[in-house]
Amino acid sequence: MVDYKKMYLTMFNATEDAINALENVRQALIQAQQDCEEMYVSADQDEEPESGKLIVLSAT
């Protein structure tokens, strides 16, 4: 006999784990955006922006 309760709980728990992981990623991206905005706002406004340079940001 198929154990539908076990199947349901397995899928439900995996779904909850995925939703929580995505929320953590969402929060990390929001924090990075806010940090960058703060860096921009607090930067010297008289500085010329560097154009044509590629900036690589680390995800750590």
Side-chain angles (χ1 to χ4, degrees):
M1 185 161 108
V2 178
D3 188 349
Y4 289 105
K5 183 177 180 179
K6 183 177 180 179
M7 289 170 47
Y8 171 80
L9 291 175
T10 298
M11 183 59 71
F12 180 83
N13 289 331
T15 301
E16 285 295 309
D17 291 345
I19 289 169
N20 290 333
L22 289 171
E23 180 60 25
N24 290 337
V25 170
R26 180 181 168 275
Q27 288 300 322
L29 290 171
I30 289 171
Q31 186 62 53
Q33 180 182 13
Q34 291 172 344
D35 292 346
C36 290
E37 289 170 352
E38 181 59 35
M39 285 186 264
Y40 178 79
V41 168
S42 64
D44 185 4
Q45 298 301 317
D46 294 332
E47 257 183 48
E48 282 290 320
E50 296 181 34
S51 60
K53 291 188 177 180
L54 177 63
I55 299 173
V56 179
L57 301 175
S58 173
T60 58

